[in-house]
Amino acid sequence: RKEVEQDPGPFNVPEGATVAFNCTYSNSASQSFFWYRQDCRKEPKLLMSVYSSGNEDGRFTAQLNRASQYISLLIRDSKLSDSATYLCVVLDNYGQNFVFGPGTRLSVLP
Amino acid sequence: DTAVSQTPKYLVTQMGNDKSIKCEQNLGHDTMYWYKQDSKKFLKIMFSYNNKELIINETVPNRFSPKSPDKAHLNLHINSLELGDSAVYFCASSPPYATAMNTEAFFGQGTRLTVV
């Protein structure tokens, strides 16, 4: 079983749609969780950290369920500029290794 | 100011050659990493250094040797390059987990290595 798994994608959605990404992780001792965004031929960049109580940043909402070892990202009112690959990332319990999921590609269509 | 910079951005070389990729961060971070992103776009850790000391060494061929002259630099040297080494290599850095609850990894722009 891979350490971090995500929806395989790609997701093709119209502008204005709401889209949800799912992620599961295998190491129950993991302490920190993130969503990163990677544009084509660019480096990954932090989109948002994911906190136990869930957190929101504008149109983006992240949720964490430690019991199910499940992380989600919801994007509301999607924009063309949201088109990218979304990477679920888990920091291992030693705080030494950022483990990346395979990513889910999103294309927002006009 | 570029926080994590790596050079070169592109590297095309022949099989059997030896090449190096340099990485520098000006964020004052203690931990630096090398990741490999293959043709399927999967990002996988290769090495992790904390204060110039190797702390993670995933199953990477011995032909890959990281060198950290100081905590702001982590270079990657590759001997006897093979076709399968073609990938994008990303350097990254992060603050220590224990002191930064909002730890995140900052990435360089990547080095696209093509072995022909």
Side-chain angles (χ1 to χ4, degrees):
Chain A
R1 183 184 170 189
K2 288 188 182 142
E3 289 184 73
V4 181
E5 301 200 61
Q6 296 184 237
D7 295 327
F11 286 22
N12 298 315
V13 303
E15 268 187 291
T18 296
V19 59
F21 300 124
N22 301 307
C23 170
T24 56
Y25 60 95
S26 60
N27 183 355
S28 60
S30 300
Q31 293 298 317
S32 298
F33 310 91
F34 311 87
W35 284 101
Y36 272 71
R37 169 192 169 131
Q38 187 173 25
D39 293 292
C40 190
R41 302 179 79 88
K42 297 283 190 183
E43 72 273 23
K45 289 185 178 174
L46 180 70
L47 177 66
M48 57 197 302
S49 301
V50 187
Y51 302 121
S52 296
S53 53
N55 48 299
E56 188 174 305
D57 183 2
R59 298 181 292 109
F60 300 85
T61 301
Q63 296 279 352
L64 169 65
N65 183 324
R66 286 186 185 271
S68 306
Q69 294 175 212
Y70 167 82
I71 309 162
S72 66
L73 175 69
L74 186 77
I75 305 176
R76 290 181 300 279
D77 188 23
S78 48
K79 312 287 184 197
L80 295 176
S81 57
D82 294 334
S83 297
T85 296
Y86 290 82
L87 300 157
C88 178
V89 184
V90 175
L91 183 62
D92 71 10
N93 46 308
Y94 299 103
Q96 292 173 350
N97 180 12
F98 289 84
V99 182
F100 281 76
T104 304
R105 192 153 61 87
L106 171 68
S107 293
V108 181
L109 309 171
Chain B
D1 273 350
T2 305
V4 182
S5 60
Q6 52 182 110
T7 55
K9 190 172 178 182
Y10 298 97
L11 185 52
V12 181
T13 187
Q14 290 188 323
M15 277 173 50
N17 283 351
D18 302 338
K19 290 292 177 187
S20 292
I21 307 172
K22 294 187 176 180
C23 178
E24 176 181 4
Q25 53 96 4
N26 62 6
L27 297 166
H29 290 164
D30 289 337
T31 309
M32 295 186 72
Y33 313 82
W34 276 108
Y35 282 83
K36 178 180 179 180
Q37 189 167 41
D38 59 25
S39 56
K40 294 184 179 176
K41 308 298 182 189
F42 189 51
L43 261 166
K44 190 167 168 54
I45 193 162
M46 301 172 69
F47 301 103
S48 171
Y49 268 71
N50 189 53
N51 265 323
K52 302 195 298 175
E53 287 192 25
L54 180 67
I55 54 174
I56 290 178
N57 182 352
E58 288 296 303
T59 35
V60 175
N62 291 340
R63 301 180 294 103
F64 290 79
S65 53
K67 293 274 191 310
S68 182
D70 55 61
K71 76 173 197 177
H73 294 83
L74 181 62
N75 304 322
L76 183 65
H77 189 75
I78 316 169
N79 288 327
S80 303
L81 278 153
E82 300 177 357
L83 293 176
D85 297 333
S86 296
V88 182
Y89 293 84
F90 286 101
C91 176
S93 73
S94 72
Y97 172 68
T99 61
M101 287 305 295
N102 291 330
T103 295
E104 68 173 277
F106 293 80
F107 283 79
Q109 62 184 358
T111 296
R112 187 171 295 273
L113 171 65
T114 304
V115 183
V116 297

